[in-house]
Amino acid sequence: METFTVIVKNSYADKNRNIKVQCEDMWLAHKAATLQTHQLKEEIISIKDSRNQEVYNLTKGFIFEEYK
């Protein structure tokens, strides 16, 4: 299990919040974070792994080259 940091942006208020999830991979981390967000007003903008490498962002999607 690895700890992922998920950055969630509120669409109505100019605020971001962090969610920490423990999952086996970045896809499960995205799924777990989605379950903890309000899907009508929040959006996942970035996911970083325990080595602080970005493995997902809103514009690029899942980043495979940096995830090893």
Side-chain angles (χ1 to χ4, degrees):
M1 292 289 241
E2 186 172 358
T3 301
F4 291 89
T5 303
V6 182
I7 302 170
V8 179
K9 180 181 180 183
N10 188 318
S11 300
Y12 297 106
D14 193 25
K15 293 182 181 180
N16 293 344
R17 67 182 177 108
N18 292 344
I19 300 173
K20 297 250 187 216
V21 293
Q22 289 198 352
C23 294
E24 295 178 15
D25 58 31
M26 58 187 163
W27 296 283
L28 292 175
H30 188 279
K31 182 178 179 180
T34 300
L35 296 174
Q36 296 183 35
T37 61
H38 189 283
Q39 294 178 1
L40 296 176
K41 68 176 188 174
E42 292 183 318
E43 189 167 36
I44 296 172
I45 58 172
S46 178
I47 300 175
K48 293 184 179 182
D49 64 9
S50 60
R51 297 176 301 259
N52 206 28
Q53 291 182 321
E54 188 172 52
V55 294
Y56 171 85
N57 73 33
L58 187 59
T59 57
K60 294 180 185 177
F62 290 100
I63 303 168
F64 298 105
E65 320 61 71
E66 296 179 16
Y67 189 72
K68 295 180 182 164

